[in-house]
Amino acid sequence: ALVAIRSLGDNLEAAVNAESRTLLGADLEIESRVAFDEDVEGLFTWLGGDQSREVRFASMVYFPKNGGTRLVEVRALTGAFPYYGEFVTEPADAADRYQKDGEVLLDDGLMLQFGVDVGDSVRVGTLSFRIAGRLKKVPGQAMAVMTVAPRVYLPMPDLEATGLIRDGSLATYAVYFKFPETTRMSFVEREVRPYRGTHRIRYETVASRQRSLGRAIGNLYRFLNLAGFAALLLGCVGVSSAVHVYVRQK
């Protein structure tokens, strides 16, 4: 068991190192709980690169097919995100066309729960959308998390028409960046860092996501090692007790 745990830890570490960009889906993510002001927008212009924008928040959705309702995480997206990895959908081309067709992607588990299919409709706020496809995998998102908070992706231009974002709405605003291969991310971080306190933004890079996952995997690895070691000690006690009883009987 101890050998297997060590092998598991090594494999997980190697997988994180190999897929670090896919885990974030971009080179840099900047997010805030308030809409970005002019100074931050100026920073985005200065940073350049390919950019995608996202607004995410919790809301109820309604399925006219059966009258079902469910609390979900709505994500309004514009741009080519993810830049690394891909949305795995059914049908396969749904992720490429849902934005330009004004449709939505729904989490596969959510569609199974309410018995809806591709082509059915779902109402988000005051707007009804056609379901373009089932969302089976999102870069950097665990399937367990998507089970608790199923995702609904809709095009950013349609967000205002839903009537869900108003003054005081609780939402997270995010921008994803993809830079040329020659870009020094340490220099980018140095320019973004001063905006954290004054403009209430958070940022994450591939390296920081890799470190956070590394810490989580390290904690899991240590816990499994302790559990395996405890099992080894208990096994030793059991063997010694059995041998002791056997010797006394003889």
Side-chain angles (χ1 to χ4, degrees):
L2 292 173
V3 172
I5 290 169
R6 179 171 292 276
S7 176
L8 173 64
D10 291 342
N11 290 337
L12 286 175
E13 183 177 356
V16 169
N17 292 334
E19 302 294 334
S20 55
R21 282 188 170 182
T22 304
L23 294 173
L24 184 61
D27 293 317
L28 172 69
E29 176 190 0
I30 298 178
E31 65 177 39
S32 174
R33 296 306 299 268
V34 296
F36 300 114
D37 57 28
E38 291 183 3
D39 291 339
V40 179
E41 291 289 349
L43 172 66
F44 295 160
T45 302
W46 183 85
L47 289 173
D50 296 330
Q51 300 183 16
S52 296
R53 301 212 172 209
E54 180 184 77
V55 179
R56 54 182 182 263
F57 54 92
S59 181
M60 300 294 291
V61 294
Y62 171 73
F63 297 98
K65 182 178 181 179
N66 49 36
T69 59
R70 178 70 154 84
L71 180 65
V72 301
E73 184 177 65
V74 178
R75 296 198 173 201
L77 183 66
T78 183
F81 179 84
Y83 298 111
Y84 306 105
E86 60 181 5
F87 288 140
V88 178
T89 61
E90 184 182 302
D93 64 340
D96 297 326
R97 57 181 173 80
Y98 83 98
Q99 291 192 43
K100 59 184 178 182
D101 292 344
E103 299 175 340
V104 295
L105 298 176
L106 261 64
D107 174 61
D108 182 50
L110 180 65
M111 295 182 65
L112 291 174
Q113 179 182 358
F114 289 93
V116 293
D117 299 309
V118 174
D120 291 337
S121 63
V122 58
R123 193 167 74 198
V124 183
T126 59
L127 206 60
S128 292
F129 295 90
R130 179 182 181 275
I131 301 173
R134 299 173 178 269
L135 190 59
K136 293 181 172 292
K137 184 179 179 182
V138 178
Q141 299 291 330
M143 292 306 297
V145 175
M146 293 181 67
T147 301
V148 176
R151 309 287 199 261
V152 175
Y153 279 86
L154 57 86
M156 182 74 78
D158 295 323
L159 176 60
E160 185 177 356
T162 65
L164 295 175
I165 295 296
R166 305 175 182 177
D167 291 339
S169 297
L170 295 177
T172 299
Y173 301 82
V175 180
Y176 299 96
F177 296 83
K178 180 186 179 183
F179 300 113
E181 293 289 340
T182 55
T183 302
R184 295 176 57 186
M185 291 305 300
S186 58
F187 177 73
V188 173
E189 282 192 72
R190 188 177 65 189
E191 296 298 320
V192 173
R193 193 175 296 118
Y195 288 81
R196 289 186 303 177
T198 56
H199 295 84
R200 294 183 294 174
I201 67 169
R202 298 184 298 272
Y203 71 89
E204 190 170 19
T205 64
V206 172
S208 62
R209 174 64 68 90
Q210 188 174 343
R211 286 194 297 268
S212 63
L213 285 173
R215 287 193 296 268
I217 291 174
N219 291 335
L220 173 64
Y221 175 67
R222 283 190 290 272
F223 170 76
L224 292 176
N225 262 325
L226 288 173
F229 186 64
L232 177 61
L233 289 178
L234 290 175
C236 292
V237 171
V239 171
S240 64
S241 298
V243 171
H244 179 67
V245 171
Y246 177 77
V247 170
R248 289 191 60 183
Q249 287 177 343
K250 290 299 181 180

